[in-house]
Each structure stands twice: as C-alpha cells, then as structure tokens.
Amino acid sequence: MNFCVNFSDLTIEINSIYQYTYDFCKDYICNQSPDFSVETTEEKIDAEIASVDFNPPRGYAECICLYREIAEKLPTYNRCVFHGAVIEYEGRGFLFTAPSGTGKTTHIRLWKKCFGDKVNIVNGDKPILNIGNDGVVAYSTPYAGKEGYQNHSSVALCGICLIKRGEENRIERVNPGQYLTDIIKQIYMPFAPEQSIKTLELLDNILSKVPLYVLHCNISEEAAITALEGMTKG
C-alpha cells in the first residue's frame, strides 16, 4: 500500500507491504505531494529479523527497515535521525542522549514528575533534527521507543545533554570536541559515502549551534532539577 506521512515538515511517500506500517504511522499520514519515496523488500525484512535476538513480526521489521531508508535520505534535506529523548520545557527543547539502557527514559520521566505540565515529551527515542541557518529544530516521529513517547510536535533545540551514571548529580557545559565520539554513536550514519559526509557536516553544524552538556546523575528527582538549572542558567 502507498501512503504519505509528514515527518519533520517533509512529505514522504511510503510503499509498504504490511498493514502494520500504515497503522504505526497513522497519526502522521497526510495528503500532500511527496518530497521523496521509500520502500523495502522481503529480503531486507528477512535480514532485519535475522539481525536481532528476538523474532519480530514481519510488519514490525518492515517498519524498522523503512525508517532506515528514510534516514538514508534525510541528509539531502539537512536533517538526520538522532538517538535521544527530546522534551520541551516552557518553549525550549532539550535532547537527552545516552547508550541504550543508561537511563534517558528514566530521566525524562523524572522531569515529568518534577515539573508536570511544564514538560512536553516531544519524542522518546529517535527524533529527526532539522539543521537550519537559525538553529536546530527537533521533530517527533512515531519511532519513539517501546514507551511510545511522542506527540507529533516540534521544538527549537536549546541544549544537548549526554547522560552518564553517577552517585552525585552534577552538570557542566563541555567542549563538543571532547565528546565527539560519544555523540557520533548517537546519530544515524548513512551507508552511502556522500550522505555520511553530509551527516558529519550536519553534526558539526548542530554542535556549533546547540550547547552540549554532560550530566552525571542518579535516579533521584534532584537529577532533573540539576539538569534544568544547569541548562537554563543565564
């Protein structure tokens, strides 16, 4: 089946084999002319299933393959997929990133617990970043982790925060060059060489526009307060 979705103000035509993908993307479906199209194959779906240590349904595997195809094309439009959770606090966006299992989902839950309706979870796992002349905008997608934290919104990014586990809560603004290896691991890097080069250029642009912080934290509410104060002071 063919249908169009709106991801990060781009209209993308999806040619899917299974109903799962349509249902998964239903909140993003639109009727505009596409900027580009994506599709996958049964062979790629087989490879996706074989690459993981569980046995996902074919529709789920297709959905992952299609997002990968989208991510491959995004750099042409000055966009990229970033592994992280984006929240909006009083109109400002903050992206928390860390290796899977380190605690980014727990941290954004702490923000909701501490600050309530002042916090809007834009996307919990794989937002799209749009890098423009005036800054970086983070967009939600339905690819939002197992919790499904997303609400089809966007926000100007005012800080990127690397989460590291620690017994005490402390945050500092850092030089991006010191943590480039950590950041590169969290951005989707296309297979095509020219798109990889473009992605590295986009990453450099992101880090020149958005402050980078490192947060050492535990799972107490104080961690959220420390992060907020550190990223909004001044």
Side-chain angles (χ1 to χ4, degrees):
M1 66 187 70
N2 295 357
F3 58 94
C4 288
V5 295
N6 186 300
F7 289 173
S8 71
D9 283 340
L10 290 174
T11 301
I12 303 165
E13 182 183 35
I14 294 178
N15 302 298
S16 68
I17 303 169
Y18 297 96
Q19 179 72 29
Y20 181 98
T21 302
Y22 180 90
D23 294 339
F24 184 78
C25 296
K26 64 182 179 181
D27 292 339
Y28 293 77
I29 290 175
C30 65
N31 294 313
Q32 300 165 337
S33 298
D35 294 290
F36 64 87
S37 301
V38 294
E39 61 184 1
T40 191
T41 65
E42 294 285 10
E43 290 75 18
K44 289 182 179 179
I45 294 171
D46 288 338
E48 178 64 30
I49 292 172
S51 72
V52 295
D53 57 3
F54 63 103
N55 188 31
R58 296 192 69 80
Y60 172 87
E62 179 194 42
C63 205
I64 300 303
C65 290
L66 287 167
Y67 199 43
R68 188 177 296 115
E69 294 298 324
I70 291 170
E72 288 286 327
K73 296 187 177 184
L74 286 177
T76 300
Y77 302 88
N78 293 324
R79 291 162 169 80
C80 62
V81 172
F82 204 101
H83 177 224
V86 175
I87 64 171
E88 177 184 0
Y89 177 85
E90 296 188 335
R92 291 189 281 185
F94 301 102
L95 188 156
F96 295 92
T97 187
S100 296
T102 303
K104 70 179 188 301
T105 301
T106 299
H107 188 72
I108 63 173
R109 284 175 178 160
L110 288 172
W111 277 65
K112 284 295 291 183
K113 184 177 180 180
C114 287
F115 309 119
D117 291 341
K118 291 183 178 181
V119 175
N120 168 37
I121 302 176
V122 176
N123 187 274
D125 192 46
K126 292 182 176 65
I128 292 175
L129 304 187
N130 180 8
I131 301 89
N133 293 330
D134 298 328
V136 179
V137 178
Y139 289 82
S140 178
T141 74
Y143 295 85
K146 62 181 181 293
E147 296 83 8
Y149 291 148
Q150 56 84 27
N151 58 12
H152 204 345
S153 62
S154 63
V155 65
L157 207 56
C158 297
I160 296 173
C161 186
L162 286 167
I163 295 177
K164 296 183 179 292
R165 289 177 178 167
E167 294 184 4
E168 297 183 357
N169 298 304
R170 58 186 176 87
I171 189 171
E172 59 180 331
R173 184 171 176 175
V174 296
N175 183 332
Q178 295 176 277
Y179 292 89
L180 195 56
T181 301
D182 299 79
I183 293 293
I184 286 177
K185 291 177 182 177
Q186 305 307 316
I187 196 169
Y188 180 84
M189 195 61 63
F191 291 99
E194 65 275 13
Q195 294 292 64
S196 293
I197 292 170
K198 176 67 173 177
T199 300
L200 290 173
E201 292 172 352
L202 291 173
L203 178 58
D204 183 65
N205 206 343
I206 291 168
L207 296 176
S208 72
K209 297 178 184 298
V210 183
L212 179 65
Y213 302 86
V214 172
L215 172 68
H216 298 267
C217 64
N218 52 38
I219 56 172
S220 68
E221 293 180 25
E222 182 191 29
I225 297 169
T226 298
L228 173 65
E229 291 177 349
M231 293 191 293
T232 59
K233 62 183 179 182

